[in-house]
Amino acid sequence: MSWDLLTVALMAGAANWAFRALPILARMERVAASGWLGRFLASTGPAAIGTLFVAAILPSLVPDLARLLPVIVGTLAVLAVWFTRKSVVLATLAGALAHGATTWTLG
Amino acid sequence: MTRTRPPFLDGLAASLPIVMGYFPIAFSFGVAATQAGFTGLEAFALSLIIYAGASQFLALALLSSGAPVLVAAFTLIAMNLRHVLYGPALMREAGEGATRRHAWAWAWGLTDEVFGQALGALARGQRFSEPYMFGLGLGAYASWVSGTVVGAYAGGGALEGWPAVNAGLGFMLPALFLALLLSILNRRQLPVIVVAGSVTVVATLAISATSGILLGMLAGAVAGVLRK
């Protein structure tokens, strides 16, 4: 196993544990959520998810209908299932199924 | 709330929808890892040690492109900064009397989806319980790690004859992020998300995909600070 990979994994994993556990152990929910740091932290989650969605979908947005159509159908399926079932997991699976089915239909 | 089975099993049962969502994504991660030249053991180690979907895919790109170790590590760390908020938000909903003696262990499993599921259970009136959190987290973690192993050992070749399945698995991540985005979307967060998304597009096209992610997140968070 590569030492570089193991080093990166251990550093990222340790940080993940710290991000998830330390705020609970430090009872951070008691800290007032006001102030610029509170607003920065509160905006980090939505900003990260918005960024990750754009970064994930951007490579698929190409002027080629055979590649673009499955993305459009998959996206519509996610939207439809989310607004009817309000379930992240079901919406995700529906999007992937619709994308795969459209790819299969287009051959 | 009246319980008919131990809270740990309740949590395990509640993890089933997450298990269904995680397994195929982890499978596609395992496939992507071996296609990028990593071994099955390395893919397994990344899932076991990092346990954060999007940043693991980014780890593949960074490590296979030869990015310096510290740059790669801090990029992945920056991506998961949002997790800082999950624990406090959950414990605020759990109430003053909620025990957190074993949080050092169960909090490891506090991913986006586990957090959402736990918060939803509290919103539906369920009492907070650490064994429930262990069950919920363990189901999701086991699914993630086992999906990675199956994907890594099945390899990219397993999907060559199934282009539609391959395409569907490839869309799992954008679909997951879109669904997560919809789940947090409200009028107050809209400017943050619009700024983050716009800066990501511009920085990705002008500089690189990695810069796009980092600058997009930072710009969105700064927009949140400047918001009245």
Side-chain angles (χ1 to χ4, degrees):
Chain A
M1 184 181 300
S2 148
W3 282 109
D4 280 0
L5 178 138
L6 198 57
T7 306
V8 169
L10 286 172
M11 286 178 75
N16 276 349
W17 175 82
F19 290 159
R20 292 169 186 172
L22 293 185
I24 298 175
L25 298 173
R27 298 177 180 267
M28 259 180 63
E29 73 274 13
R30 291 181 176 174
V31 177
S34 58
W36 71 268
L37 185 59
R39 290 203 302 277
F40 183 86
L41 285 176
S43 304
T44 302
I49 294 171
T51 296
L52 292 170
F53 168 64
V54 170
I57 202 133
L58 206 53
S60 314
L61 304 181
V62 291
D64 173 0
L65 194 63
R67 286 180 63 190
L68 197 56
L69 197 59
V71 174
I72 294 169
V73 174
T75 301
L76 291 174
V78 173
L79 291 169
V81 173
W82 169 257
F83 285 112
T84 52
R85 303 295 299 273
K86 299 282 186 215
S87 161
V88 168
V89 169
L90 287 181
T92 303
L93 290 175
L97 274 174
H99 185 284
T102 311
T103 304
W104 181 76
T105 306
L106 292 173
Chain B
M1 183 179 179
T2 309
R3 290 191 184 282
T4 54
R5 57 185 168 193
F8 175 80
L9 293 182
D10 259 353
L12 211 53
S15 76
L16 278 180
I18 302 176
V19 168
M20 284 171 57
Y22 272 10
F23 194 89
I25 299 173
F27 181 92
S28 63
F29 172 74
V31 169
T34 49
Q35 282 177 337
F38 297 94
T39 65
L41 183 64
E42 288 172 334
F44 167 72
L46 285 171
S47 279
L48 189 75
I49 300 171
I50 298 181
Y51 187 36
S55 57
Q56 285 182 220
F57 280 92
L58 185 60
L60 296 183
L62 290 167
L63 290 165
S64 58
S65 68
V69 168
L70 285 180
V71 170
F74 283 110
T75 304
L76 303 186
I77 289 168
M79 278 187 77
N80 291 312
L81 188 60
R82 68 185 186 281
H83 288 174
V84 165
L85 302 169
Y86 292 170
L90 185 69
M91 297 315 290
R92 192 166 46 231
E93 290 302 312
E96 270 296 307
T99 175
R100 63 187 81 201
R101 188 180 308 158
H102 303 292
W104 61 272
W106 61 255
W108 167 247
L110 207 53
T111 60
D112 300 306
E113 296 76 15
V114 168
F115 166 69
Q117 189 80 310
L119 210 59
L122 292 173
R124 290 191 296 273
Q126 188 167 315
R127 199 163 55 84
F128 179 81
S129 139
E130 288 195 298
Y132 176 89
M133 292 304 300
F134 270 115
L136 183 62
L138 191 66
Y141 190 37
S143 163
W144 184 258
V145 174
S146 59
T148 301
V149 172
V150 173
Y153 286 100
L159 295 176
E160 274 170 12
W162 307 83
V165 176
N166 203 7
L169 288 175
F171 191 69
M172 194 71 82
L173 208 58
L176 175 65
F177 289 134
L178 177 57
L180 283 172
L181 194 60
L182 291 168
S183 73
I184 59 156
L185 195 62
N186 60 42
R187 195 179 293 271
R188 188 168 164 71
Q189 300 293 7
L190 200 57
V192 171
I193 292 165
V194 169
V195 169
S198 306
V199 171
T200 305
V201 172
V202 173
T204 300
L205 297 177
I207 311 170
S208 68
T210 307
S211 305
I213 290 171
L214 278 178
L215 293 175
M217 276 196 282
L218 275 175
V222 170
V225 173
L226 300 176
R227 183 181 53 198
K228 292 290 178 190

